[in-house]
């Protein structure tokens, strides 16, 4: 058994500062399922996730010309990751020169700086559809060359969209 009251105190302080702890993970239920303070903290994180949205960042190819169609690459980070970390992993000269790259980030917090994907999640699907539609109308896209890619849980989300 651990020091539950100290953990609750730390979580409360962190949540007040805007931190996330992934308290909605089922792994916490074993020790805290009957703790009313923990339930309050879980609800705070759940409400913050509900207020969050799928985000994205567009990286245009070198020497981009808006009159030319380009292949497009949608990239989904793995769990505990974010756009910034995905951009470090997903880079190549070909991507830089030839692709419109769209880095997509989940709304669901894993921690204060990391995010996780939720399989078959309607919010993710609906918000990504808005992003996709916006990209397709904003940029010249070669519709025969649309690629979806992801690491780990990001790959699973890509399969959910298939």
């Amino acid at each position: 058994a651990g020091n539950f009251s100290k953990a609750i105190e730390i979580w409360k302080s962190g949540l007040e500062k805007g931190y996330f702890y992934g308290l909605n993970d089922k792994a916490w239920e074993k020790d805290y399922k009957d703790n009313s303070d923990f339930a309050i903290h879980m609800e705070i994180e759940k409400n913050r996730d509900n207020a969050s949205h799928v985000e994205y960042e567009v990286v245009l190819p070198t020497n981009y010309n808006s009159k030319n169609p380009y292949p497009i690459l949608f990239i989904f980070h793995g769990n505990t990751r974010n756009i910034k970390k995905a951009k470090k992993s997903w880079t190549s000269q070909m991507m830089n020169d030839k692709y419109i790259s769209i880095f997509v980030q989940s709304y669901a917090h894993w921690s204060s700086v990391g995010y996780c994907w939720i399989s078959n999640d309607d919010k993710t699907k609906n918000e990504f559809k808005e992003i996709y539609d916006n990209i397709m109308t904003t940029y010249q896209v070669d519709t025969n060359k649309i690629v979806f890619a992801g690491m780990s849980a990001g790959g699973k989300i890509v399969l959910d969209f298939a």
Side-chain angles (χ1 to χ4, degrees):
N3 189 340
F4 296 151
S5 61
K6 183 66 174 173
I8 295 292
E9 182 183 314
I10 291 168
W11 286 326
K12 179 180 179 188
S13 174
L15 289 169
E16 288 170 353
K17 294 175 184 172
Y19 298 147
F20 280 85
Y21 296 100
L23 300 178
N24 287 292
D25 189 309
K26 299 253 183 239
W28 294 107
E29 287 183 11
K30 180 180 125 202
D31 293 323
Y32 292 96
K33 69 179 177 181
D34 297 323
N35 186 305
S36 61
D37 289 328
F38 183 77
I40 290 168
H41 298 330
M42 281 179 58
E43 192 66 23
I44 290 169
E45 282 200 352
K46 182 179 177 184
N47 290 338
R48 287 183 183 169
D49 275 346
N50 288 339
S52 295
H53 298 283
V54 174
E55 295 182 20
Y56 68 99
E57 187 174 319
V58 178
V59 178
L60 297 174
T62 309
N63 301 317
Y64 175 75
N65 180 336
S66 62
K67 294 181 176 140
N68 297 335
Y70 289 87
I72 193 163
L73 176 61
F74 289 95
I75 302 156
F76 296 79
H77 64 78
N79 276 354
T80 76
R81 304 293 185 201
N82 55 34
I83 288 174
K84 184 177 178 181
K85 289 181 179 180
K87 285 176 70 177
K88 287 180 181 179
S89 298
W90 288 87
T91 183
S92 73
Q93 196 61 50
M94 184 185 300
M95 282 176 60
N96 294 340
D97 291 343
K98 303 202 182 281
Y99 282 81
I100 297 173
S101 298
I102 313 297
F103 291 88
V104 186
Q105 178 175 286
S106 177
Y107 71 89
H109 290 82
W110 180 275
S111 67
S112 296
V113 295
Y115 297 82
C116 62
W117 295 105
I118 302 169
S119 287
N120 298 309
D121 180 58
D122 288 337
K123 180 174 180 173
T124 297
K125 288 179 182 178
N126 293 335
E127 291 189 11
F128 178 73
K129 175 144 180 25
E130 289 177 22
I131 291 167
Y132 180 89
D133 291 345
N134 181 49
I135 296 297
M136 299 303 280
T137 59
T138 302
Y139 300 98
Q140 282 282 66
V141 174
D142 180 344
T143 57
N144 292 313
K145 295 180 181 174
I146 300 172
V147 179
F148 287 68
M151 292 283 287
S152 191
K156 172 65 172 102
I157 286 301
V158 168
L159 293 175
D160 286 352
F161 291 153

